[in-house]
Amino acid sequence: MKKKKRIHLVFLKTNLNFDGRVFSLINTLSSAYNDDEIIVYNYDVNVDETIKLPPNTRIIFFKSFFEKFNKFKIFRALRLVEYSISSFFKLLYYRPQSIQLHHEVTLIAPLLYKLFVRKVKVVYDDKEFYHYKNKNISPFFYFIEKSIIRWSELLIITNEYRRKAVFKLNKNGIKKHIIVDNYEFKNQFSRKINNNLLNELNLVKNENKKILLHQGVISKERGAKKLFDVIETLPSDWKLCFIGVSQNDYEKFISDLKEEQKDKIKNFGFVDYNELSDFYNYVDGAVLFYDSFNFNNKYCAPNRLYSAANNGVPIIVNEDNFTLSTFVRKFKNGVCFSGINDLKMFFSNYSNFKKNAEIMKNNYEHKEMIPELYKFYKNDVLPISYFVWLFLQLQ
């Protein structure tokens, strides 16, 4: 008789084409259980379905009756209820060996299931740090997240500073944890940038300009006001370039600039995640501003930090971001911005910062798997034999 494959469920809300960290965590699960089936249930329906997953892994995209009304708050809430009910029935149907969780909106059904089925192994990726006092999460989801942390067999935390805070808030509620930083993720799908983008980059380089890169949305939380100081201080042989910014948002930003300042900047638009690492090879410097208005921002270590570090790119960070400023002071690969003089120092001492940044190349990337997570799955879950597992499922 053919063995029934064991099932592992992954619940997430992200586009895996642009979230290499989560992709690597799923890839690790798939590698640890290459004879089992991994099912990914994605809450986000607005994603590219061409993502290539390991052979034993398949993705299901949540199809909601309320999706067409998503701009209304009440229907977004109903959509969440719909997803939670659907997730719970999937848990009952598949009776998974383990559950891997990646977003707070996916936690309701797995938490309920864990309360009834204690033997299932739960791994929670605490990728953001939320607290309802910061108004970045509702009290309800804050309670759900704290509960899932307490019931998880493994908690994944994004850096050492967050680890201290999570332990302080949860004290004796954490069974086991590992730290998985937001390093660059490279795999067989990583590729060189396309010719159109390369031509755009060469147009800047042919002007004998160095590229100072800002990646991601332009917003108050990402230090939009500080960017005006950067543009004002920018030497004539530098250009501030943007990626991950829509043309509409870019136009809004430059509307506040003087006419002569508009020649100092350029928008490259969106860059495919698989081409992002190669794109950084053409960049001379990067600016990373995360205003520390809440704990999550103050202690964040965004993936663009490691994209710059892994490709030997010097960086400018804001002084009041503890994680970013500590990183820069440790490796002397850039400056911590608190005023115009810090920017002037970056450009005047650029060669020294570049030299230090080059030493860091290729030290901040995930390959096919996360070793600590792979070890956890092999040691903590896999030793249950198939027959023991089948017996438990029939109880």
Side-chain angles (χ1 to χ4, degrees):
M1 185 178 72
K2 187 178 179 180
K3 284 185 180 180
K4 180 183 176 183
K5 283 189 175 183
R6 297 190 300 186
I7 304 292
H8 304 264
L9 288 181
V10 179
F11 296 92
L12 54 80
K13 181 183 183 299
T14 190
N15 185 336
L16 291 176
N17 280 335
F18 304 104
D19 200 331
R21 182 177 180 278
V22 172
F23 187 94
S24 63
L25 293 170
I26 294 173
N27 198 63
T28 302
L29 172 66
S30 304
S31 299
Y33 302 114
N34 52 18
D35 291 327
D36 296 351
E37 184 177 5
I38 316 299
I39 300 175
V40 180
Y41 194 30
N42 196 342
Y43 181 78
D44 193 347
V45 297
N46 300 311
V47 297
D48 184 352
E49 298 189 21
T50 61
I51 185 70
K52 297 179 182 178
L53 294 166
N56 64 334
T57 304
R58 63 187 174 97
I59 189 166
I60 301 172
F61 293 94
F62 174 52
K63 300 188 185 306
S64 171
F65 173 79
F66 301 104
E67 181 62 30
K68 63 183 75 172
F69 310 109
N70 202 41
K71 63 179 180 179
F72 300 105
K73 189 174 182 180
I74 181 63
F75 289 111
R76 290 198 298 270
L78 289 172
R79 183 172 179 268
L80 173 61
V81 171
E82 186 185 11
Y83 176 82
S84 299
I85 293 172
S86 175
S87 298
F88 192 73
F89 277 110
K90 278 182 169 49
L91 286 161
L92 292 176
Y93 177 77
Y94 288 113
R95 306 186 77 172
Q97 172 79 8
S98 72
I99 304 170
Q100 194 176 107
L101 303 167
H102 294 283
H103 197 283
E104 64 275 3
V105 301
T106 69
L107 302 182
I108 298 173
L111 176 60
L112 289 174
Y113 186 79
K114 177 65 174 178
L115 294 177
F116 290 106
V117 186
R118 300 292 179 85
K119 64 181 179 290
V120 66
K121 303 294 183 182
V122 175
V123 173
Y124 178 45
D125 176 23
D126 182 30
K127 66 184 180 61
E128 303 283 356
F129 191 93
Y130 294 120
H131 198 291
Y132 64 90
K133 290 181 179 179
N134 293 152
K135 297 182 180 179
N136 59 355
I137 192 172
S138 69
F140 171 73
F141 275 112
Y142 182 69
F143 169 77
I144 294 292
E145 187 173 56
K146 283 181 71 69
S147 300
I148 206 73
I149 287 173
R150 186 171 69 251
W151 286 100
S152 294
E153 275 66 39
L154 180 69
L155 180 66
I156 303 174
I157 306 172
T158 54
N159 63 50
E160 177 62 26
Y161 310 112
R162 289 178 190 251
R163 184 194 69 79
K164 292 177 181 177
V166 170
F167 269 77
K168 184 176 181 180
L169 287 177
N170 296 277
K171 294 188 178 177
N172 300 321
I174 299 174
K175 298 175 185 175
K176 192 171 185 177
H177 77 282
I178 60 173
I179 294 176
V180 179
D181 290 284
N182 289 317
Y183 289 177
E184 262 198 337
F185 178 70
K186 292 183 180 178
N187 62 9
Q188 65 269 33
F189 310 122
S190 299
R191 58 180 181 267
K192 299 289 185 181
I193 58 174
N194 62 76
N195 288 332
N196 289 336
L197 187 54
L198 181 60
N199 290 336
E200 289 290 310
L201 283 164
N202 284 332
L203 286 176
V204 178
K205 293 291 185 178
N206 290 337
E207 295 176 13
N208 294 318
K209 303 279 189 183
K210 293 186 179 69
I211 293 175
L212 181 65
L213 181 68
H214 179 279
Q215 180 187 344
V217 296
I218 304 173
S219 66
K220 177 184 176 182
E221 294 79 12
R222 301 287 177 87
K225 289 184 178 180
K226 295 182 179 68
L227 290 175
F228 292 123
D229 290 328
V230 173
I231 294 170
E232 183 68 32
T233 315
L234 210 62
S236 59
D237 60 338
W238 282 80
K239 198 156 197 164
L240 177 63
C241 298
F242 297 84
I243 61 171
V245 178
S246 70
Q247 190 60 27
N248 186 50
D249 288 342
Y250 178 74
E251 294 292 339
K252 288 179 181 178
F253 175 71
I254 67 173
S255 65
D256 293 326
L257 293 176
K258 300 173 185 176
E259 200 60 38
E260 63 270 19
Q261 291 178 323
K262 294 180 182 179
D263 291 333
K264 293 184 172 184
I265 63 176
K266 180 180 177 63
N267 184 29
F268 285 108
F270 295 96
V271 176
D272 190 291
Y273 185 87
N274 293 320
E275 298 176 359
L276 190 59
S277 181
D278 187 50
F279 182 88
Y280 267 87
N281 287 318
Y282 297 86
V283 171
D284 302 287
V287 54
L288 287 78
F289 290 149
Y290 274 72
D291 283 1
S292 299
F293 68 100
N294 62 29
F295 187 96
N296 186 61
N297 267 35
K298 187 174 182 179
Y299 293 97
C300 73
N303 53 11
R304 65 208 64 183
L305 168 69
Y306 298 112
S307 291
N310 198 54
N311 290 283
V313 176
I315 56 178
I316 302 170
V317 303
N318 50 307
E319 171 73 38
D320 61 342
N321 186 298
F322 181 77
T323 306
L324 297 178
S325 58
T326 301
F327 188 89
V328 167
R329 287 194 180 94
K330 179 179 179 181
F331 296 105
K332 296 180 174 57
N333 62 325
V335 299
C336 303
F337 169 74
S338 60
I340 296 296
N341 288 335
D342 298 312
L343 297 175
K344 291 179 179 178
M345 183 189 301
F346 178 82
F347 297 117
S348 62
N349 292 336
Y350 172 76
S351 59
N352 289 329
F353 297 132
K354 178 63 176 176
K355 182 179 178 181
N356 293 335
E358 284 288 333
I359 298 171
M360 306 168 71
K361 287 185 74 169
N362 303 318
N363 289 323
Y364 299 92
E365 63 185 58
H366 295 305
K367 297 292 187 182
E368 296 300 322
M369 294 187 300
I370 309 297
E372 296 88 350
L373 181 61
Y374 184 83
K375 182 178 179 181
F376 167 81
Y377 277 131
K378 298 297 282 188
N379 292 344
D380 276 26
V381 182
L382 196 60
I384 300 178
S385 72
Y386 172 78
F387 296 105
V388 172
W389 170 81
L390 183 60
F391 174 78
L392 290 173
Q393 295 292 301
L394 295 174
Q395 297 308 298

